[in-house]
């Protein structure tokens, strides 16, 4: 974990230098350190910024760690830089992905337990944030992250929607900025023959979604085998 934290900081710092980014000279904690703390919290502490702050401070990775409130304010200010970092990493992982095999899926990001929905002030009880997670057979309240990853799990494209946003609609939002000849695996929620045909004809990208039992366009047995194999590997 030590090497990973150092690598994360070096990557953040290099990205900021490449952007000619200059932070305030009076800052005790640099923007690169703020970005590093956020990434470490996501990777190792289940997005718990408090645990990440405490860990990095106590082990002297970041000795001048900001207070909770100041850190949160600074985190909002580096949001665009984190997106630029993700885009740079996504492009790199695409270049390294010589197999040209990808998978797409969505995951819920609940903001509160269902029993607390009436008291939630984040989205003010709006119906569009009430979603359903089919794999867990449960409802949730919050937003969704729609994600495309390589065969080995590196994220290359993503976007956020409200919880009720249907997965199949996400096919019209993904950039699909992929090399010609790429294969994109997806589950049954992504069946859209029009998008499949359009991607294949215009970009030579094969969208291979698992078929529903009543599908009018069934797939060959070997294709179904490859789909399930890819899904198990990704999971």
């Amino acid at each position: 974990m030590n090497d990973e934290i150092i690598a994360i900081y070096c990557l953040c710092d290099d990205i900021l230098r490449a952007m000619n980014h200059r932070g305030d000279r009076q800052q005790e904690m640099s923007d690169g350190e703020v970005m590093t703390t956020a990434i470490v919290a996501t990777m190792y502490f289940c997005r718990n910024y408090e645990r990440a702050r405490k860990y990095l401070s106590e082990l002297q990775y970041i000795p001048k760690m900001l207070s909770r409130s100041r850190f949160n304010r600074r985190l909002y200010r580096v949001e665009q830089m984190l997106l630029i970092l993700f885009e740079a990493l996504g492009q790199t992982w695409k270049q390294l992905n010589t197999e040209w095999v990808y998978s797409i899926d969505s995951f819920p990001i609940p903001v509160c337990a269902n029993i607390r929905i009436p008291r939630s002030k984040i989205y003010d009880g709006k119906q569009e944030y009430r979603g359903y997670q089919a794999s867990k057979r449960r409802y949730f309240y919050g937003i969704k992250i729609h994600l495309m990853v390589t065969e080995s799990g590196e994220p290359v494209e993503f976007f956020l929607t409200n919880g009720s946003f249907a997965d199949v609609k996400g096919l019209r939002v993904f950039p699909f900025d992929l090399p010609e000849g790429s294969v994109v695996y997806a589950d049954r929620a992504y069946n859209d023959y029009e998008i499949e045909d359009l991607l294949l004809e215009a970009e030579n990208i094969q969208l291979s979604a698992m078929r529903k039992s009543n599908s009018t366009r069934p797939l060959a047995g070997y294709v179904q085998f490859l789909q399930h194999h890819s899904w198990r590997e990704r999971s």
Side-chain angles (χ1 to χ4, degrees):
M1 185 172 175
N2 175 68
D3 292 340
E4 286 84 351
I5 292 174
I6 294 174
I8 291 169
Y9 172 75
C10 291
L11 181 60
C12 292
D13 189 61
D14 287 346
I15 287 289
L16 294 177
R17 289 176 183 271
M19 296 168 55
N20 293 320
H21 173 75
R22 299 183 184 276
D24 190 331
R25 292 182 179 180
Q26 296 182 345
Q27 291 177 349
E28 295 184 354
M29 185 175 175
S30 69
D31 287 334
E33 290 173 328
V34 174
M35 295 168 66
T36 299
T37 305
I39 295 172
V40 169
T42 302
M43 292 182 63
Y44 302 111
F45 297 100
C46 300
R47 302 189 302 275
N48 189 316
Y49 294 127
E50 278 302 291
R51 290 179 59 193
R53 285 180 56 255
K54 183 177 180 180
Y55 181 87
L56 294 175
S57 176
E58 290 182 348
L59 274 74
Q60 294 295 298
Y61 285 106
I62 305 177
K64 296 183 179 180
M65 178 65 68
L66 297 173
S67 65
R68 178 178 181 178
S69 60
R70 291 180 63 193
F71 173 79
N72 288 336
R73 289 196 296 269
R74 287 283 300 281
L75 182 58
Y76 282 112
R77 286 163 54 184
V78 300
E79 177 183 358
Q80 191 61 35
M81 302 171 201
L82 286 169
L83 292 175
I84 292 173
L85 173 62
F86 177 88
E87 183 177 353
L89 288 174
Q91 291 300 324
T92 300
W93 283 322
K94 287 178 184 179
Q95 294 173 9
L96 295 175
N97 183 26
T98 56
E99 299 296 324
W100 296 351
V101 175
Y102 301 87
S103 298
I104 57 176
D105 204 352
S106 70
F107 305 92
I109 305 178
V111 298
C112 67
N114 286 338
I115 196 172
R116 297 179 180 173
I117 291 176
R119 291 180 289 168
S120 175
K121 297 181 180 180
I122 297 180
Y123 297 120
D124 197 24
K126 295 180 179 178
Q127 290 296 320
E128 60 264 31
Y129 291 97
R130 295 175 183 261
Y132 181 71
Q133 187 179 10
S135 60
K136 302 292 185 180
R137 296 182 180 180
R138 65 184 181 188
Y139 290 91
F140 70 94
Y141 182 71
I143 60 178
K144 275 185 180 180
I145 179 170
H146 301 256
L147 191 64
M148 178 185 293
V149 300
T150 65
E151 195 170 24
S152 52
E154 295 92 356
V156 295
E157 293 181 4
F158 87 101
F159 60 93
L160 300 173
T161 65
N162 57 59
S164 64
F165 191 87
D167 287 349
V168 69
K169 293 182 179 179
L171 294 175
R172 301 178 183 272
V173 182
F174 274 111
F176 286 105
D177 181 19
L178 305 173
E180 288 191 14
S182 295
V183 178
V184 180
Y185 290 107
D187 63 20
R188 293 176 177 82
Y190 291 91
N191 276 275
D192 187 322
Y193 304 148
E194 180 183 354
I195 297 296
E196 283 187 23
D197 294 341
L198 182 61
L199 283 172
L200 190 60
E201 180 180 352
E203 305 291 343
N204 193 24
I205 295 174
Q206 180 183 350
L207 174 61
S208 183
M210 296 179 182
R211 298 303 192 217
K212 298 178 181 179
S213 58
N214 61 347
S215 174
T216 59
R217 191 186 289 188
L219 298 174
Y222 77 92
V223 176
Q224 297 181 43
F225 173 81
L226 290 174
Q227 288 178 330
H228 287 280
H229 175 74
S230 175
W231 214 251
R232 285 198 302 270
E233 289 293 323
R234 186 183 61 80
S235 301

